[in-house]
Amino acid sequence: MKLAFISKNLPPSLCGVGRYTASLALALSEMGHSINIWTSESTPQVSNSVLVHKATGGWNTLTFFKMALQIWRWRPDRVIIEFTPYLFAPHTYGINFILPIWLLFMRLLFGKSLVLMMHELHYPTGLTPDRFLIGVPQWMQFILLIFVSPKTVFSYQAPFVKYKRWIPFKAGTLYWTPTGPTLHSNIKTEIPAHLSMPDQHYILLQFGSDHPSRLFSFSFKALEKIRDSFGPNTVSLVFVGISQERVNAELVLSKNIKLKGYVHGTGPVSDSVAAYWMNRAKLVLAPFEDGTSARRTSTISALSFGKTVVTTRGPSTDTQIPWEQLCVIAPSLKSNAFAEAALKSFANGVQGTHEPSGDFTLWFSWPKLCQHFVSLLS
C-alpha cells in the first residue's frame, strides 16, 4: 500500500510520537509498503526507504491545508495523522480551533482512507485547576475530531474501550493497537562524555521524556530504600532524556535533596548514549500516575533490552496485555509499595534472577505490530 503519515516531529527530536512514527514507517517499508511522511522536522533522521516531505512556513493551519493538497496529488491508499493535542496547537498548551475544519477538509479529499491515530486525548493529564482548564477544551476538541474522522486508532486500550461504550454509534470506527520499542537493542552504544561511573556501580534507570504523569518521587523513594539495603555509595539513579536542572527541582519539591549526589539527569542524548545507559542499568523504573500502557515506548524499549521494569498500574493500563508477565507492577498511588517492589527486583537482579519472564515480542515486536496495523487499515 501507499501510506502517507503526518507527524510534526521525527528523530532526532525527543518526541515519543515522532520516534514511533519513524519506527513504524521503517517496519512497514521493510514489509514492502511505500511510505511518505509529512513533517516539520528540519533535519529528520529516518530510513532511506522512507520519503520525507519537510513543511515550509512553520507548522500552522496554512501548512496543514498545503500538506493536504500535496498528499492528495500523491494518491495514497491511506493517510494516517499521528495526533496529540500539543503537536497541532499554536502553543504547547491550547487548541487549534481550525483543526476540526481541516480534518473535515481531509475527509472530503480522502474519504474513508483517512485514519486518525490518537496518542493523547488531552494534555497535560490530571485534575489540578490548570490541567482542568487546558484539558477540558482539548477533550471537547477530541470529541469533535472522532466525530469527523472515518477511522480512529488509539495507541492504548483504555480510551478505546471507554469511547466504544460511550459513543456506541461510532464504535465501528474505533480501534486500538500497541506501540513498539523506539530504542533498538541492536544499536551500537556510545559511552557518555560528561557522566561516567565505575563499572561496578549499580544503575537504576528512568528512560524517556519529561511527561507530566511521571512520578519522580516514587523513583527517589526506591533509590533511598535500595541504598539503605545495599550501601549508600554503590547505587545511582540516572534519568535519561531529562536535564539535571529538572531533576534537581524535583528533588527539592519532594524534599529529597539529600539524594542530590546520587541522582543524575543526562539531558537530551543520542540513541547510542541512551543504549549505553540501558545496557548498564540493573533495573529500570517506570512509575506513572496513570499507569503503564501500550503507548509507553520507553517501557517497551526497556523490555526489548531484556531489562526488568518496575512500573505502575493505573486508569490507562491496558487490560488485554498481561503486564504482570512482562513487568513488576505496583499500584500507581502507593510510593512505598513501588519502592518495596523495586528493592525486591533489584535484589533478584544482583543475584542474577530476571523476573518476570514473559515474552514481550508476543505483543510488541515490530513485525507483529505492523501486521496488526495493516489489518486495521484494511
Side-chain angles (χ1 to χ4, degrees):
M1 285 194 290
K2 294 171 66 176
L3 302 177
F5 286 85
I6 297 176
S7 178
K8 179 182 180 181
N9 294 330
L10 290 172
S13 288
L14 296 178
C15 170
V17 175
R19 296 176 66 83
Y20 163 76
T21 303
S23 296
L24 177 62
L26 171 60
L28 288 168
S29 69
E30 290 176 345
M31 291 178 63
H33 300 284
S34 178
I35 311 297
N36 282 21
I37 303 177
W38 275 259
T39 183
S40 68
E41 192 70 42
S42 57
T43 57
Q45 297 176 3
V46 298
S47 168
N48 292 332
S49 62
V50 176
L51 184 60
V52 177
H53 305 263
K54 291 181 284 188
T56 58
W59 191 254
N60 51 47
T61 304
L62 180 60
T63 299
F64 298 161
F65 282 95
K66 287 180 180 177
M67 283 193 306
L69 295 175
Q70 292 172 4
I71 296 170
W72 179 76
R73 294 188 192 102
W74 188 51
R75 296 292 195 274
D77 297 303
R78 298 289 185 274
V79 180
I80 301 101
I81 302 172
E82 301 288 348
F83 182 81
T84 62
Y86 59 89
L87 295 181
F88 285 85
H91 306 287
T92 301
Y93 301 132
I95 62 174
N96 185 334
F97 292 99
I98 307 298
L99 199 59
I101 298 173
W102 173 67
L103 195 67
L104 182 60
F105 178 68
M106 293 285 285
R107 177 158 187 176
L108 292 174
L109 287 180
F110 302 107
K112 294 184 178 180
S113 298
L114 184 65
V115 179
L116 189 62
M117 183 81 182
M118 282 283 184
H119 299 279
E120 294 270 10
L121 316 188
H122 50 84
Y123 180 93
T125 57
L127 297 177
T128 59
D130 59 327
R131 293 180 177 186
F132 183 82
L133 291 173
I134 296 165
V136 169
Q138 290 186 350
W139 176 79
M140 295 173 68
Q141 174 184 256
F142 154 73
I143 295 296
L144 276 176
L145 294 180
I146 65 170
F147 269 86
V148 173
S149 175
K151 181 175 290 188
T152 303
V153 180
F154 298 93
S155 59
Y156 57 120
Q157 182 195 356
F160 162 72
V161 172
K162 181 189 301 181
Y163 288 99
K164 279 193 74 170
R165 184 172 65 249
W166 287 2
I167 315 176
F169 59 89
K170 288 289 290 184
T173 69
L174 306 181
Y175 305 85
W176 84 284
T177 183
T179 61
T182 54
L183 181 68
H184 304 286
S185 57
N186 60 354
I187 191 173
K188 183 179 179 181
T189 61
E190 176 186 345
I191 299 175
H194 304 296
L195 181 58
S196 59
M197 296 178 189
D199 290 342
Q200 65 271 24
H201 208 75
Y202 293 125
I203 304 297
L204 304 180
L205 195 71
Q206 271 219 18
F207 170 68
S209 62
D210 185 7
H211 197 276
S213 68
R214 188 177 293 281
L215 297 168
F216 284 86
S217 61
F218 281 45
S219 295
F220 298 152
K221 186 174 285 290
L223 171 64
E224 186 174 22
K225 188 170 285 290
I226 291 170
R227 289 178 69 246
D228 288 345
S229 297
F230 284 84
N233 299 314
T234 60
V235 185
S236 290
L237 172 61
V238 177
F239 287 84
V240 174
I242 299 177
S243 70
Q244 187 66 54
E245 291 76 15
R246 178 76 169 96
V247 169
N248 291 344
E250 287 293 335
L251 284 168
V252 172
L253 185 64
S254 61
K255 300 179 180 179
N256 282 295
I257 196 67
K258 62 182 180 294
L259 297 174
K260 184 176 179 181
Y262 306 96
V263 184
H264 309 279
T266 67
V269 297
S270 67
D271 282 7
S272 297
V273 172
Y276 165 83
W277 285 115
M278 191 69 83
N279 284 319
R280 277 288 311 267
K282 179 59 67 175
L283 185 68
V284 175
L285 306 178
F288 296 103
E289 183 180 344
D290 56 346
T292 195
S293 68
R295 65 179 173 149
R296 301 290 187 197
T297 58
S298 55
T299 300
I300 298 166
S301 294
L303 293 174
S304 75
F305 275 74
K307 297 297 176 179
T308 298
V309 178
V310 183
T311 187
T312 50
R313 177 176 290 280
S316 291
T317 301
D318 323 270
T319 59
Q320 290 186 16
I321 294 177
W323 288 108
E324 283 79 5
Q325 297 177 25
L326 303 171
C327 307
V328 177
I329 303 290
S332 63
L333 298 180
K334 297 182 179 179
S335 59
N336 285 326
F338 181 86
E340 289 289 347
L343 174 60
K344 181 179 178 181
S345 297
F346 183 85
N348 288 339
V350 170
Q351 296 170 7
T353 304
H354 175 70
E355 294 181 347
S357 57
D359 184 2
F360 95 102
T361 62
L362 296 177
W363 291 92
F364 301 118
S365 69
W366 280 113
K368 184 175 290 293
L369 291 171
C370 284
Q371 291 174 4
H372 185 225
F373 188 76
V374 170
S375 71
L376 296 183
L377 299 183
S378 301

